[in-house]
């Protein structure tokens, strides 16, 4: 298998609090900020509280979802003092982390109420650095890898680390510890790679998002009329077949999955997605062959 030449990863950003009520990332960033760099570290780490106002209030966002403010149109739009706080903050973060590739890799920390375990979301399924890091973490955690959208600063190579289940506004020690270890394993891989270590290639399972599914709704009030079925709840990344139970109506009726192909659900019953009209996302699973890495000097 041919080796792929990749540049040194010398500057890494670790961001928490993109959503101000996802507390594991917020507390991990606060712990990292307590440790002052002495200049001897092999990798320069920029630690950022992405949405400090929302974190202070322990809310997902103050005016609008920061994680949806990183489109190229939004980042180039003029802002003023009357602009939504998150719109202004997105441009500040892009100037700090995304403009002219000021960091080589960005890791954005998130929690979900869904039973995803440790899940990595990448912006591209052809970013070899991200895929090698995913493969490095996959063995100890049996984690799931999604090719979807890693929103924060799309001009940087980015990974979103999602861990759940954890209620919003709450920190669970097991989730915090898993996130802390996940970040450390990522940094370990970067240090080994920068020192010239060759990591074997191979196959990595990746879930590519196909579509979002909304809750059933009342035709008159547009309020949801069903909850996620008990047989589907907490079964993130477990294959959903046509005809499987999907929703349990408040009237008692079971609604079944009507798709023509079996797909993998994730972010099942995510608490923050009620406002977005998303009950779960569906993905296809496929295997990607990644090459042996080679440091580009």
């Amino acid at each position: 298998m041919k080796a792929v030449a990749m540049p040194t990863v010398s500057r890494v950003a670790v961001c928490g609090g993109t959503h101000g009520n996802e507390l594991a990332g917020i507390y991990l960033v606060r712990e990292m900020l307590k440790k002052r760099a002495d200049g001897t570290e092999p990798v320069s780490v920029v630690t950022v509280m992405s949405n400090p106002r929302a974190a202070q209030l322990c809310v997902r966002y103050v005016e609008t979802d920061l994680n949806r403010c990183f489109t190229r149109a939004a980042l180039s739009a003029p802002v003023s003092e009357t602009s939504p706080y998150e719109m202004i903050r997105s441009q500040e973060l892009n100037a700090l982390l995304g403009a002219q590739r000021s960091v080589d890799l960005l890791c954005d920390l998130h929690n979900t109420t869904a039973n995803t375990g440790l899940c990595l979301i990448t912006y591209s399924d052809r970013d070899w650095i991200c895929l090698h890091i995913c493969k490095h973490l996959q063995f100890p955690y049996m984690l799931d890898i999604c090719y979807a959208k890693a929103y924060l600063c799309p001009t940087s190579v980015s990974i979103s680390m999602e861990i759940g289940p954890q209620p919003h506004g709450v920190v669970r020690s097991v989730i915090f510890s898993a996130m802390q270890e996940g970040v450390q394993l990522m940094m370990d891989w970067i240090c080994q790679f920068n020192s010239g270590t060759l990591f074997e290639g191979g196959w990595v399972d990746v879930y590519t998002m196909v579509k979002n599914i909304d809750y059933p709704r009342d035709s008159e009030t547009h309020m949801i009329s069903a909850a996620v079925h008990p047989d589907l709840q907490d079964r993130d990344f477990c294959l959903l077949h046509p005809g499987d139970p999907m929703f349990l109506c408040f009237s008692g009726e079971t609604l079944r999955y009507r798709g023509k192909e079996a797909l993998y659900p994730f972010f099942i019953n995510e608490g923050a997605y009620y406002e977005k009209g998303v009950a779960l996302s569906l993905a296809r699973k496929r295997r990607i062959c990644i090459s042996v890495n080679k440091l580009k000097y």
Side-chain angles (χ1 to χ4, degrees):
M1 185 178 292
K2 184 179 178 180
V4 173
M6 295 185 289
T8 302
V9 183
S10 59
R11 188 170 169 85
V12 177
V14 178
C15 302
T18 299
H19 295 132
N21 58 359
E22 297 178 8
L23 297 190
I26 289 172
Y27 284 110
L28 180 54
V29 162
R30 287 175 178 168
E31 284 299 305
M32 294 176 70
L33 286 169
K34 292 177 183 177
K35 302 174 181 178
R36 300 186 62 179
D38 59 9
T40 63
E41 294 80 6
V43 179
S44 174
V45 179
V46 181
T47 311
V48 178
M49 189 68 69
S50 302
N51 195 335
R53 289 189 188 177
Q56 185 176 18
L57 296 171
C58 196
V59 295
R60 182 173 175 85
Y61 53 81
V62 178
E63 296 181 78
T64 190
D65 194 333
L66 177 61
N67 222 23
R68 305 304 188 271
C69 294
F70 290 99
T71 63
R72 298 192 184 278
L75 292 174
S76 60
V79 295
S80 67
E81 293 181 357
T82 60
S83 299
Y85 168 69
E86 279 82 8
M87 289 292 292
I88 298 172
R89 184 62 177 156
S90 69
Q91 295 194 12
E92 293 173 350
L93 289 169
N94 195 54
L96 174 67
L97 304 173
Q100 298 181 1
R101 299 294 296 270
S102 55
V103 298
D104 300 311
L105 177 69
L106 186 152
C107 180
D108 189 24
L109 305 176
H110 287 266
N111 293 126
T112 173
T113 62
N115 188 33
T116 58
L118 179 63
C119 168
L120 298 183
I121 302 177
T122 68
Y123 198 76
S124 168
D125 62 351
R126 285 293 180 265
D127 190 296
W128 302 118
I129 289 177
C130 289
L131 288 172
H132 269 285
I133 291 172
C134 291
K135 186 173 182 291
H136 185 65
L137 269 69
Q138 197 164 37
F139 176 73
Y141 278 105
M142 298 303 292
L143 59 79
D144 295 299
I145 305 165
C146 293
Y147 163 48
K149 285 185 178 179
Y151 291 97
L152 189 60
C153 295
T155 50
S156 293
V157 176
S158 63
I159 295 175
S160 287
M161 186 178 292
E162 287 271 5
I163 307 185
Q166 177 171 281
H168 297 316
V170 169
V171 61
R172 297 179 60 195
S173 58
V174 66
I175 299 296
F176 177 87
S177 297
M179 179 177 283
Q180 188 175 45
E181 185 172 359
V183 171
Q184 185 58 56
L185 285 169
M186 178 187 72
M187 298 304 300
D188 290 345
W189 182 91
I190 292 169
C191 290
Q192 292 178 51
F193 170 70
N194 287 347
S195 68
T197 300
L198 281 178
F199 291 94
E200 293 185 0
W203 296 94
V204 177
D205 291 330
V206 175
Y207 297 84
T208 303
M209 191 175 78
V210 175
K211 60 182 176 179
N212 294 321
I213 302 294
D214 193 6
Y215 294 91
R217 295 183 180 272
D218 183 273
S219 59
E220 295 182 0
T221 65
H222 302 291
M223 301 294 289
I224 65 172
S225 58
V228 171
H229 195 280
D231 291 351
L232 177 59
Q233 181 65 51
D234 298 328
R235 291 182 57 80
D236 295 73
F237 299 107
C238 295
L239 196 60
L240 180 69
H241 296 89
D244 285 349
M246 198 169 194
F247 296 104
L248 181 62
C249 293
F250 300 140
S251 62
E253 179 187 3
T254 293
L255 301 180
R256 298 181 179 274
Y257 172 48
R258 294 182 177 180
K260 295 182 179 180
E261 65 173 313
L263 294 171
Y264 291 85
F266 65 103
F267 288 148
I268 299 171
N269 203 17
E270 160 57 45
Y273 288 176
Y274 277 72
E275 68 176 45
K276 302 182 187 302
V278 176
L280 62 140
S281 300
L282 292 174
R284 291 189 185 97
K285 183 179 179 180
R286 61 197 182 95
R287 308 198 86 188
I288 293 177
C289 184
I290 59 174
S291 301
V292 177
N293 71 282
K294 179 181 179 183
L295 187 63
K296 183 194 295 183
Y297 292 100

